[in-house]
Amino acid sequence: MDTYQDLITQTFDFPNADFQVRDNELFFHDIDLMALVEKHGTPLRLSYLPKISSQIQRAKTWFADGIASTGYTGSYSYAYCTKSSHFRFVLDEALKNDVHLETSSWFDISIIRSLYEQGKFGKDKYIICNGFKPEEYKRDITALLNDGFENCLPILDSPGEIEYYHAHVQEGKKVKLGLRLASDEEPRFQFYTSRLGIRYADAVPLYEQRIKEDPRFELNMLHYFISSGIKDTSYYWTELSRFIHKYCELRKICPTLTTIDIGGGLPIQTSIQPEYDYPYMIAEILRTIQRICAEEGVPEPNIFTEFGIFTVGESGATIYSILDEKLQNDKELWYMIDGSFITNLPDTWALNQRFIMLALNGWQRPYRKIQLGGLTCDSQDYYNAEKHIYQTFLPQLQPARQEAATGQPLYVGFFHTGAYQESLSGYGGLKHCLIPAPKHVILDRAEDGTLSDWVFAPKQEAASMLKILGYTA
């Protein structure tokens, strides 16, 4: 019978630069995973920091090569989208590579303050402030502007947002602004247009009526975001072309508009087999911008990207032990893990996201078609399909007596899990985009019907988030 190693090597171009097998055990970036499991146990979450820097440098090289090959005249700048992972160790590693930052909540501003105080982030760096902005977020952006963060760019998400900066930014300060355009969503979405951003039809009137004649403001950047990320699809190229045409329309009346921000980043590998031709996609983006700008007779813009998942996703891995197997009918064999997909890898449950799944040991054993079950009592806590085959296979479990003799159960790893999973699963009290937990009030009635209320927990503050993320002790 074929072994698990036979299955993987026959199905994929394996081994590769990231994954190898030695003595029937898996190595990830030349790291002995079984040694880590023996040292730390499972479930185990790994973050491999050098991959963060290598991803940033790969993207910078692809853009540099694309600019050289196409003769593109604009510059390229890399920004890290902090919402993908806010941890201090991630920001520390990313900032080694001369990157800028993109924010999505007012708690992000506290992180930037902390990085600045530690000498890791200068006032000359770009801070691209995205998202819909409640009072707290606008207040903290304004404080950065007033404190001399010269390249802090509020990206206007709704027409009325500009009034706050007009009222609160100090006299004499020049505020660089961006506009986010509301892109059309993919046809399979439940609505047509993104809830975030300015309508395409409102962009020019907003500039002419609220920005053009105000000496305090200067429109520098036009931004758009595609939720699917950069993909070689007709939808992506259509939305990019539409966006560049609007850039050209605004550029003709706004000479300070020199930069575009292409939101929605490069995809990560979710299969062992290479899935994306990154240099081609980047060169095609540059050619598309070049072509439309030449047709419209406007200069090619400088380009920012705000890669989040691409930056940090492939640095992460999550490892489980297989506790036992259960045959629930004639053909459904379950391997039960010592963790939960819902609580540890919530994207597998909420978005049906697939990650690279590989056994850590037992590669010499026969393989079996299985389903993986988590520890929660929820029926949705399972993983039973990989991206390429819509099934899952793992090595056969050893009889209990053999496992007891060797002291080694079967281990399974999920790879490229470094983005979003902690914030979505609420690690230590984190929330997606660092939107704080609300104040929790308890209501009760006395026997006479009198209503009473008391605060069980206050609204979450930035200080607690910074501690969880490793910025403060």
Side-chain angles (χ1 to χ4, degrees), residues 96-309:
K96 294 176 183 178
N97 297 275
D98 188 29
V99 302
H100 307 277
L101 296 179
E102 186 258 1
T103 68
S104 53
S105 106
W106 61 101
F107 279 31
D108 280 307
I109 308 303
S110 296
I111 290 175
I112 287 172
R113 293 277 190 186
S114 176
L115 292 169
Y116 171 73
E117 290 166 2
Q118 297 168 40
K120 296 177 179 178
F121 192 80
K123 289 187 175 182
D124 61 324
K125 289 290 187 181
Y126 280 83
I127 307 167
I128 302 169
C129 300
N130 247 316
F132 186 85
K133 301 177 186 67
E135 177 80 13
E136 299 97 329
Y137 195 6
K138 290 182 286 190
R139 176 201 65 209
D140 288 355
I141 291 171
T142 299
L144 286 181
L145 293 168
N146 288 335
D147 287 348
F149 285 81
E150 59 192 78
N151 288 317
C152 178
L153 266 75
I155 307 298
L156 301 181
D157 192 77
S158 57
E161 183 183 331
I162 195 171
E163 298 301 331
Y164 188 93
Y165 309 124
H166 181 86
H168 294 89
V169 175
Q170 295 170 356
E171 290 288 342
K173 297 283 186 182
K174 187 69 137 181
V175 180
K176 300 174 182 177
L177 294 173
L179 289 181
R180 176 171 179 165
L181 297 181
S183 59
D184 285 349
E185 299 288 3
E186 288 185 281
R188 61 194 174 112
F189 256 64
Q190 298 183 29
F191 44 87
Y192 294 109
T193 304
S194 172
R195 76 186 190 282
L196 298 171
I198 307 291
R199 294 192 311 165
Y200 268 73
D202 292 339
V204 170
L206 176 61
Y207 168 71
E208 292 188 322
Q209 298 168 17
R210 314 287 279 279
I211 301 173
K212 183 178 180 179
E213 301 301 328
D214 193 325
R216 188 173 298 194
F217 299 129
E218 183 177 280
L219 180 62
N220 284 175
M221 179 180 285
L222 198 64
H223 167 87
Y224 90 133
F225 176 86
I226 299 296
S227 58
S228 68
I230 297 172
K231 298 283 183 68
D232 186 17
T233 63
S234 58
Y235 162 71
Y236 183 79
W237 299 121
T238 298
E239 282 300 305
L240 176 64
S241 297
R242 180 183 178 220
F243 171 73
I244 299 304
H245 279 294
K246 181 57 69 171
Y247 158 76
C248 291
E249 182 183 356
L250 271 165
R251 180 65 175 83
K252 291 174 182 177
I253 60 174
C254 178
T256 61
L257 179 59
T258 58
T259 305
I260 61 172
D261 180 5
I262 300 176
L266 290 170
I268 63 171
Q269 299 290 348
T270 55
S271 170
I272 310 173
Q273 199 68 23
E275 301 170 85
Y276 305 106
D277 187 343
Y278 297 109
Y280 159 76
M281 291 193 292
I282 288 170
E284 197 60 28
I285 288 172
L286 296 172
R287 281 191 286 266
T288 299
I289 299 171
Q290 272 186 317
R291 173 180 55 79
I292 295 173
C293 287
E295 292 170 358
E296 298 274 4
V298 302
E300 295 163 9
N302 300 325
I303 297 173
F304 271 72
T305 60
E306 47 184 66
F307 296 159
I309 294 177

Side-chain angles (χ1 to χ4, degrees), residues 224-466:
Y224 90 133
F225 176 86
I226 299 296
S227 58
S228 68
I230 297 172
K231 298 283 183 68
D232 186 17
T233 63
S234 58
Y235 162 71
Y236 183 79
W237 299 121
T238 298
E239 282 300 305
L240 176 64
S241 297
R242 180 183 178 220
F243 171 73
I244 299 304
H245 279 294
K246 181 57 69 171
Y247 158 76
C248 291
E249 182 183 356
L250 271 165
R251 180 65 175 83
K252 291 174 182 177
I253 60 174
C254 178
T256 61
L257 179 59
T258 58
T259 305
I260 61 172
D261 180 5
I262 300 176
L266 290 170
I268 63 171
Q269 299 290 348
T270 55
S271 170
I272 310 173
Q273 199 68 23
E275 301 170 85
Y276 305 106
D277 187 343
Y278 297 109
Y280 159 76
M281 291 193 292
I282 288 170
E284 197 60 28
I285 288 172
L286 296 172
R287 281 191 286 266
T288 299
I289 299 171
Q290 272 186 317
R291 173 180 55 79
I292 295 173
C293 287
E295 292 170 358
E296 298 274 4
V298 302
E300 295 163 9
N302 300 325
I303 297 173
F304 271 72
T305 60
E306 47 184 66
F307 296 159
I309 294 177
F310 180 80
T311 305
V312 75
E314 294 189 15
S315 69
T318 306
I319 298 172
Y320 301 107
S321 301
I322 304 300
L323 298 175
D324 201 356
E325 66 178 37
K326 299 178 69 178
L327 184 64
Q328 294 300 86
N329 54 43
D330 290 341
K331 60 182 180 179
E332 290 181 343
L333 178 65
W334 287 88
Y335 280 7
M336 304 299 291
I337 65 170
D338 61 344
S340 165
F341 298 105
I342 290 176
T343 59
N344 304 143
L345 298 174
D347 272 349
T348 64
W349 163 63
L351 299 176
N352 198 33
Q353 174 68 49
R354 303 298 92 183
F355 295 108
I356 295 173
M357 186 201 80
L358 291 169
L360 267 62
N361 58 335
W363 283 63
Q364 79 282 10
R365 303 180 203 166
Y367 64 86
R368 307 175 78 174
K369 178 184 174 182
I370 57 91
Q371 303 185 91
L372 287 169
L375 286 179
T376 72
C377 58
D378 196 300
S379 62
Q380 299 299 311
D381 196 357
Y382 68 91
Y383 193 94
N384 70 345
E386 292 197 82
K387 181 175 181 179
H388 53 287
I389 53 175
Y390 302 104
Q391 300 177 84
T392 48
F393 297 91
L394 282 175
Q396 182 175 306
L397 295 187
Q398 295 183 124
R401 63 181 182 279
Q402 292 184 19
E403 185 176 306
T406 63
Q408 189 181 91
L410 182 67
Y411 297 100
V412 59
F414 289 82
F415 299 91
H416 297 181
T417 61
Y420 287 109
Q421 301 315 295
E422 278 83 10
S423 59
L424 291 175
S425 61
Y427 173 88
L430 297 181
K431 302 292 185 293
H432 184 32
C433 288
L434 298 190
I435 303 302
K439 179 188 287 188
H440 188 175
V441 173
I442 308 301
L443 305 176
D444 200 2
R445 284 193 185 275
E447 291 185 3
D448 64 0
T450 303
L451 182 68
S452 62
D453 62 86
W454 54 279
V455 176
F456 176 75
K459 182 179 179 180
Q460 198 169 20
E461 298 292 339
S464 67
M465 289 281 199
L466 292 175

Side-chain angles (χ1 to χ4, degrees), residues 67-86:
I67 288 171
S69 64
T70 60
Y72 192 85
T73 57
S75 64
Y76 171 70
S77 299
Y78 193 108
Y80 172 59
C81 172
T82 59
K83 66 183 178 183
S84 296
S85 179
H86 292 88

